[in-house]
Amino acid sequence: MKNPVKFGKYFLLERISVGGMAEVFKAKSFGEAGFERPVAVKRILPSIAEDQEFIAMFIDEAKIAVQLTHPNIAQIYELGKVGEAYFIALEYVAGKDLRSIFERARKRNEALPVPMACYIVMKICEGLDYAHNKKDAAGRNLDLVHRDVSPQNMLVSYEGDVKLID
């Protein structure tokens, strides 16, 4: 994407990834007096935008994830719709996903340093423990289970923050 594309109140700057059901963009939101905020925008692919079952799952994902506030879980900011396209705006993590980190190490014929691997696993476990033990406002367990704990859903920022997504 050479030029930013307006999408509701966001400007899509570049596509970060695309999967079978959604695509994710690095984007910016703008406010008063030159305020800018980088965000990630996850948008349902047009090819499945009319699949009501997937749309319901996408909306449920946003409603559940917005309740999770933890340093090792990417924060959800908004669930919205532009035209017929549903989207989730979430925390943008400037860094790489763990799959990319693994691939780079493999291409260099290097192993991920053990202390780094332990740190990443520890932070992901902290986020998962929080989510799996999360209770609602009445104190009832939400019984959340992350069903796709995979390297592409683990982000490591250039500053060393580790965040779980999806």
Side-chain angles (χ1 to χ4, degrees), residues 19-44:
M21 310 247 184
E23 56 190 342
V24 180
F25 294 88
K26 178 181 180 184
K28 274 194 178 177
S29 65
F30 295 90
E32 296 300 316
F35 177 85
E36 295 181 14
R37 178 182 217 169
V39 297
V41 172
K42 181 178 181 178
R43 177 172 71 178
I44 294 178

PDB file of all heavy atoms in Angstrom, residues 19-44:
ATOM      1  N   GLY A  19      -4.844 -13.581   6.721  1.00  0.00           N
ATOM      2  CA  GLY A  19      -5.121 -14.986   6.981  1.00  0.00           C
ATOM      3  C   GLY A  19      -6.323 -15.420   6.174  1.00  0.00           C
ATOM      4  O   GLY A  19      -6.753 -14.731   5.248  1.00  0.00           O
ATOM      5  N   GLY A  20      -6.908 -16.536   6.550  1.00  0.00           N
ATOM      6  CA  GLY A  20      -8.042 -17.069   5.827  1.00  0.00           C
ATOM      7  C   GLY A  20      -9.327 -16.300   6.066  1.00  0.00           C
ATOM      8  O   GLY A  20     -10.251 -16.359   5.256  1.00  0.00           O
ATOM      9  N   MET A  21      -9.398 -15.546   7.160  1.00  0.00           N
ATOM     10  CA  MET A  21     -10.647 -14.885   7.517  1.00  0.00           C
ATOM     11  C   MET A  21     -10.526 -13.366   7.675  1.00  0.00           C
ATOM     12  O   MET A  21     -11.515 -12.666   7.554  1.00  0.00           O
ATOM     13  CB  MET A  21     -11.171 -15.446   8.838  1.00  0.00           C
ATOM     14  CG  MET A  21     -11.226 -16.938   8.879  1.00  0.00           C
ATOM     15  SD  MET A  21     -12.917 -17.470   8.936  1.00  0.00           S
ATOM     16  CE  MET A  21     -12.708 -19.216   9.088  1.00  0.00           C
ATOM     17  N   ALA A  22      -9.318 -12.878   7.965  1.00  0.00           N
ATOM     18  CA  ALA A  22      -9.162 -11.451   8.219  1.00  0.00           C
ATOM     19  C   ALA A  22      -7.781 -10.977   7.780  1.00  0.00           C
ATOM     20  O   ALA A  22      -6.876 -11.774   7.563  1.00  0.00           O
ATOM     21  CB  ALA A  22      -9.364 -11.158   9.707  1.00  0.00           C
ATOM     22  N   GLU A  23      -7.665  -9.674   7.648  1.00  0.00           N
ATOM     23  CA  GLU A  23      -6.386  -9.046   7.355  1.00  0.00           C
ATOM     24  C   GLU A  23      -6.129  -7.985   8.412  1.00  0.00           C
ATOM     25  O   GLU A  23      -7.061  -7.424   8.971  1.00  0.00           O
ATOM     26  CB  GLU A  23      -6.381  -8.437   5.947  1.00  0.00           C
ATOM     27  CG  GLU A  23      -7.484  -7.455   5.680  1.00  0.00           C
ATOM     28  CD  GLU A  23      -7.599  -7.064   4.215  1.00  0.00           C
ATOM     29  OE1 GLU A  23      -6.648  -7.274   3.429  1.00  0.00           O
ATOM     30  OE2 GLU A  23      -8.650  -6.531   3.838  1.00  0.00           O
ATOM     31  N   VAL A  24      -4.849  -7.750   8.691  1.00  0.00           N
ATOM     32  CA  VAL A  24      -4.465  -6.807   9.734  1.00  0.00           C
ATOM     33  C   VAL A  24      -3.589  -5.730   9.117  1.00  0.00           C
ATOM     34  O   VAL A  24      -2.659  -6.028   8.357  1.00  0.00           O
ATOM     35  CB  VAL A  24      -3.717  -7.504  10.889  1.00  0.00           C
ATOM     36  CG1 VAL A  24      -3.331  -6.498  11.966  1.00  0.00           C
ATOM     37  CG2 VAL A  24      -4.562  -8.621  11.485  1.00  0.00           C
ATOM     38  N   PHE A  25      -3.907  -4.482   9.468  1.00  0.00           N
ATOM     39  CA  PHE A  25      -3.180  -3.328   8.951  1.00  0.00           C
ATOM     40  C   PHE A  25      -2.557  -2.535  10.085  1.00  0.00           C
ATOM     41  O   PHE A  25      -3.149  -2.410  11.163  1.00  0.00           O
ATOM     42  CB  PHE A  25      -4.136  -2.378   8.210  1.00  0.00           C
ATOM     43  CG  PHE A  25      -4.728  -2.954   6.973  1.00  0.00           C
ATOM     44  CD1 PHE A  25      -5.903  -3.685   7.042  1.00  0.00           C
ATOM     45  CD2 PHE A  25      -4.122  -2.767   5.744  1.00  0.00           C
ATOM     46  CE1 PHE A  25      -6.473  -4.217   5.899  1.00  0.00           C
ATOM     47  CE2 PHE A  25      -4.692  -3.302   4.593  1.00  0.00           C
ATOM     48  CZ  PHE A  25      -5.868  -4.033   4.675  1.00  0.00           C
ATOM     49  N   LYS A  26      -1.398  -1.976   9.819  1.00  0.00           N
ATOM     50  CA  LYS A  26      -0.885  -0.915  10.678  1.00  0.00           C
ATOM     51  C   LYS A  26      -1.662   0.324  10.258  1.00  0.00           C
ATOM     52  O   LYS A  26      -1.822   0.594   9.059  1.00  0.00           O
ATOM     53  CB  LYS A  26       0.606  -0.700  10.458  1.00  0.00           C
ATOM     54  CG  LYS A  26       1.161   0.438  11.297  1.00  0.00           C
ATOM     55  CD  LYS A  26       2.645   0.652  11.050  1.00  0.00           C
ATOM     56  CE  LYS A  26       3.145   1.802  11.898  1.00  0.00           C
ATOM     57  NZ  LYS A  26       4.559   2.099  11.621  1.00  0.00           N
ATOM     58  N   ALA A  27      -2.185   1.049  11.231  1.00  0.00           N
ATOM     59  CA  ALA A  27      -3.024   2.205  10.924  1.00  0.00           C
ATOM     60  C   ALA A  27      -2.740   3.320  11.916  1.00  0.00           C
ATOM     61  O   ALA A  27      -1.996   3.133  12.886  1.00  0.00           O
ATOM     62  CB  ALA A  27      -4.504   1.802  10.972  1.00  0.00           C
ATOM     63  N   LYS A  28      -3.334   4.464  11.659  1.00  0.00           N
ATOM     64  CA  LYS A  28      -3.246   5.596  12.586  1.00  0.00           C
ATOM     65  C   LYS A  28      -4.624   6.181  12.779  1.00  0.00           C
ATOM     66  O   LYS A  28      -5.434   6.217  11.860  1.00  0.00           O
ATOM     67  CB  LYS A  28      -2.335   6.692  12.033  1.00  0.00           C
ATOM     68  CG  LYS A  28      -0.884   6.491  12.345  1.00  0.00           C
ATOM     69  CD  LYS A  28      -0.093   7.745  12.086  1.00  0.00           C
ATOM     70  CE  LYS A  28       1.348   7.497  12.455  1.00  0.00           C
ATOM     71  NZ  LYS A  28       2.186   8.649  12.172  1.00  0.00           N
ATOM     72  N   SER A  29      -4.843   6.636  14.004  1.00  0.00           N
ATOM     73  CA  SER A  29      -6.026   7.444  14.274  1.00  0.00           C
ATOM     74  C   SER A  29      -5.516   8.833  14.640  1.00  0.00           C
ATOM     75  O   SER A  29      -4.413   8.982  15.162  1.00  0.00           O
ATOM     76  CB  SER A  29      -6.869   6.854  15.403  1.00  0.00           C
ATOM     77  OG  SER A  29      -6.166   6.881  16.624  1.00  0.00           O
ATOM     78  N   PHE A  30      -6.324   9.811  14.338  1.00  0.00           N
ATOM     79  CA  PHE A  30      -5.922  11.192  14.559  1.00  0.00           C
ATOM     80  C   PHE A  30      -6.942  11.877  15.454  1.00  0.00           C
ATOM     81  O   PHE A  30      -8.126  11.573  15.407  1.00  0.00           O
ATOM     82  CB  PHE A  30      -5.811  11.943  13.223  1.00  0.00           C
ATOM     83  CG  PHE A  30      -4.716  11.408  12.343  1.00  0.00           C
ATOM     84  CD1 PHE A  30      -4.965  10.392  11.434  1.00  0.00           C
ATOM     85  CD2 PHE A  30      -3.430  11.904  12.442  1.00  0.00           C
ATOM     86  CE1 PHE A  30      -3.962   9.882  10.633  1.00  0.00           C
ATOM     87  CE2 PHE A  30      -2.411  11.402  11.640  1.00  0.00           C
ATOM     88  CZ  PHE A  30      -2.679  10.387  10.732  1.00  0.00           C
ATOM     89  N   GLY A  31      -6.464  12.819  16.243  1.00  0.00           N
ATOM     90  CA  GLY A  31      -7.331  13.591  17.126  1.00  0.00           C
ATOM     91  C   GLY A  31      -6.983  15.059  17.053  1.00  0.00           C
ATOM     92  O   GLY A  31      -6.321  15.526  16.122  1.00  0.00           O
ATOM     93  N   GLU A  32      -7.389  15.765  18.056  1.00  0.00           N
ATOM     94  CA  GLU A  32      -7.176  17.209  18.115  1.00  0.00           C
ATOM     95  C   GLU A  32      -5.699  17.569  18.296  1.00  0.00           C
ATOM     96  O   GLU A  32      -4.923  16.793  18.850  1.00  0.00           O
ATOM     97  CB  GLU A  32      -7.975  17.797  19.282  1.00  0.00           C
ATOM     98  CG  GLU A  32      -9.485  17.649  19.138  1.00  0.00           C
ATOM     99  CD  GLU A  32     -10.032  18.340  17.904  1.00  0.00           C
ATOM    100  OE1 GLU A  32      -9.632  19.482  17.620  1.00  0.00           O
ATOM    101  OE2 GLU A  32     -10.844  17.721  17.205  1.00  0.00           O
ATOM    102  N   ALA A  33      -5.350  18.752  17.826  1.00  0.00           N
ATOM    103  CA  ALA A  33      -4.038  19.365  18.041  1.00  0.00           C
ATOM    104  C   ALA A  33      -2.882  18.468  17.606  1.00  0.00           C
ATOM    105  O   ALA A  33      -1.838  18.408  18.262  1.00  0.00           O
ATOM    106  CB  ALA A  33      -3.884  19.774  19.505  1.00  0.00           C
ATOM    107  N   GLY A  34      -3.071  17.735  16.523  1.00  0.00           N
ATOM    108  CA  GLY A  34      -2.007  16.899  15.999  1.00  0.00           C
ATOM    109  C   GLY A  34      -1.806  15.577  16.718  1.00  0.00           C
ATOM    110  O   GLY A  34      -0.814  14.883  16.506  1.00  0.00           O
ATOM    111  N   PHE A  35      -2.775  15.193  17.557  1.00  0.00           N
ATOM    112  CA  PHE A  35      -2.690  13.920  18.273  1.00  0.00           C
ATOM    113  C   PHE A  35      -2.757  12.782  17.275  1.00  0.00           C
ATOM    114  O   PHE A  35      -3.601  12.761  16.387  1.00  0.00           O
ATOM    115  CB  PHE A  35      -3.842  13.809  19.281  1.00  0.00           C
ATOM    116  CG  PHE A  35      -3.881  12.498  20.006  1.00  0.00           C
ATOM    117  CD1 PHE A  35      -3.125  12.296  21.144  1.00  0.00           C
ATOM    118  CD2 PHE A  35      -4.669  11.453  19.549  1.00  0.00           C
ATOM    119  CE1 PHE A  35      -3.155  11.092  21.818  1.00  0.00           C
ATOM    120  CE2 PHE A  35      -4.711  10.237  20.207  1.00  0.00           C
ATOM    121  CZ  PHE A  35      -3.942  10.059  21.346  1.00  0.00           C
ATOM    122  N   GLU A  36      -1.847  11.825  17.402  1.00  0.00           N
ATOM    123  CA  GLU A  36      -1.829  10.636  16.550  1.00  0.00           C
ATOM    124  C   GLU A  36      -1.634   9.409  17.424  1.00  0.00           C
ATOM    125  O   GLU A  36      -0.915   9.464  18.412  1.00  0.00           O
ATOM    126  CB  GLU A  36      -0.658  10.673  15.568  1.00  0.00           C
ATOM    127  CG  GLU A  36      -0.700  11.753  14.553  1.00  0.00           C
ATOM    128  CD  GLU A  36       0.497  11.684  13.597  1.00  0.00           C
ATOM    129  OE1 GLU A  36       1.192  10.650  13.578  1.00  0.00           O
ATOM    130  OE2 GLU A  36       0.712  12.673  12.897  1.00  0.00           O
ATOM    131  N   ARG A  37      -2.266   8.308  17.030  1.00  0.00           N
ATOM    132  CA  ARG A  37      -2.090   7.048  17.751  1.00  0.00           C
ATOM    133  C   ARG A  37      -1.962   5.931  16.742  1.00  0.00           C
ATOM    134  O   ARG A  37      -2.856   5.723  15.924  1.00  0.00           O
ATOM    135  CB  ARG A  37      -3.284   6.782  18.650  1.00  0.00           C
ATOM    136  CG  ARG A  37      -3.174   5.459  19.378  1.00  0.00           C
ATOM    137  CD  ARG A  37      -4.391   5.205  20.218  1.00  0.00           C
ATOM    138  NE  ARG A  37      -3.950   4.553  21.428  1.00  0.00           N
ATOM    139  CZ  ARG A  37      -4.695   4.366  22.484  1.00  0.00           C
ATOM    140  NH1 ARG A  37      -5.921   4.812  22.502  1.00  0.00           N
ATOM    141  NH2 ARG A  37      -4.227   3.751  23.530  1.00  0.00           N
ATOM    142  N   PRO A  38      -0.847   5.184  16.814  1.00  0.00           N
ATOM    143  CA  PRO A  38      -0.757   4.011  15.944  1.00  0.00           C
ATOM    144  C   PRO A  38      -1.656   2.914  16.502  1.00  0.00           C
ATOM    145  O   PRO A  38      -1.752   2.728  17.717  1.00  0.00           O
ATOM    146  CB  PRO A  38       0.718   3.609  16.038  1.00  0.00           C
ATOM    147  CG  PRO A  38       1.192   4.178  17.331  1.00  0.00           C
ATOM    148  CD  PRO A  38       0.348   5.382  17.609  1.00  0.00           C
ATOM    149  N   VAL A  39      -2.325   2.220  15.612  1.00  0.00           N
ATOM    150  CA  VAL A  39      -3.200   1.107  15.994  1.00  0.00           C
ATOM    151  C   VAL A  39      -3.046   0.007  14.960  1.00  0.00           C
ATOM    152  O   VAL A  39      -2.509   0.223  13.877  1.00  0.00           O
ATOM    153  CB  VAL A  39      -4.691   1.524  16.081  1.00  0.00           C
ATOM    154  CG1 VAL A  39      -4.933   2.558  17.158  1.00  0.00           C
ATOM    155  CG2 VAL A  39      -5.214   2.011  14.750  1.00  0.00           C
ATOM    156  N   ALA A  40      -3.527  -1.154  15.308  1.00  0.00           N
ATOM    157  CA  ALA A  40      -3.668  -2.233  14.340  1.00  0.00           C
ATOM    158  C   ALA A  40      -5.159  -2.357  14.057  1.00  0.00           C
ATOM    159  O   ALA A  40      -5.978  -2.267  14.974  1.00  0.00           O
ATOM    160  CB  ALA A  40      -3.113  -3.534  14.896  1.00  0.00           C
ATOM    161  N   VAL A  41      -5.511  -2.513  12.814  1.00  0.00           N
ATOM    162  CA  VAL A  41      -6.906  -2.689  12.418  1.00  0.00           C
ATOM    163  C   VAL A  41      -7.040  -4.073  11.794  1.00  0.00           C
ATOM    164  O   VAL A  41      -6.401  -4.374  10.777  1.00  0.00           O
ATOM    165  CB  VAL A  41      -7.377  -1.598  11.434  1.00  0.00           C
ATOM    166  CG1 VAL A  41      -8.759  -1.914  10.893  1.00  0.00           C
ATOM    167  CG2 VAL A  41      -7.365  -0.231  12.108  1.00  0.00           C
ATOM    168  N   LYS A  42      -7.848  -4.910  12.439  1.00  0.00           N
ATOM    169  CA  LYS A  42      -8.129  -6.254  11.944  1.00  0.00           C
ATOM    170  C   LYS A  42      -9.493  -6.204  11.273  1.00  0.00           C
ATOM    171  O   LYS A  42     -10.491  -5.888  11.910  1.00  0.00           O
ATOM    172  CB  LYS A  42      -8.140  -7.244  13.110  1.00  0.00           C
ATOM    173  CG  LYS A  42      -8.396  -8.673  12.709  1.00  0.00           C
ATOM    174  CD  LYS A  42      -8.330  -9.583  13.938  1.00  0.00           C
ATOM    175  CE  LYS A  42      -8.566 -11.021  13.584  1.00  0.00           C
ATOM    176  NZ  LYS A  42      -8.459 -11.887  14.774  1.00  0.00           N
ATOM    177  N   ARG A  43      -9.514  -6.506   9.980  1.00  0.00           N
ATOM    178  CA  ARG A  43     -10.731  -6.369   9.181  1.00  0.00           C
ATOM    179  C   ARG A  43     -11.098  -7.698   8.550  1.00  0.00           C
ATOM    180  O   ARG A  43     -10.237  -8.397   8.011  1.00  0.00           O
ATOM    181  CB  ARG A  43     -10.491  -5.304   8.106  1.00  0.00           C
ATOM    182  CG  ARG A  43     -11.615  -5.083   7.167  1.00  0.00           C
ATOM    183  CD  ARG A  43     -11.359  -3.897   6.265  1.00  0.00           C
ATOM    184  NE  ARG A  43     -10.330  -4.183   5.284  1.00  0.00           N
ATOM    185  CZ  ARG A  43      -9.942  -3.323   4.339  1.00  0.00           C
ATOM    186  NH1 ARG A  43     -10.473  -2.115   4.278  1.00  0.00           N
ATOM    187  NH2 ARG A  43      -9.006  -3.654   3.473  1.00  0.00           N
ATOM    188  N   ILE A  44     -12.365  -8.033   8.608  1.00  0.00           N
ATOM    189  CA  ILE A  44     -12.850  -9.256   7.962  1.00  0.00           C
ATOM    190  C   ILE A  44     -12.624  -9.140   6.457  1.00  0.00           C
ATOM    191  O   ILE A  44     -12.898  -8.098   5.856  1.00  0.00           O
ATOM    192  CB  ILE A  44     -14.348  -9.484   8.269  1.00  0.00           C
ATOM    193  CG1 ILE A  44     -14.555  -9.769   9.758  1.00  0.00           C
ATOM    194  CG2 ILE A  44     -14.888 -10.638   7.432  1.00  0.00           C
ATOM    195  CD1 ILE A  44     -16.013  -9.961  10.153  1.00  0.00           C
TER     196      ILE A  44
END
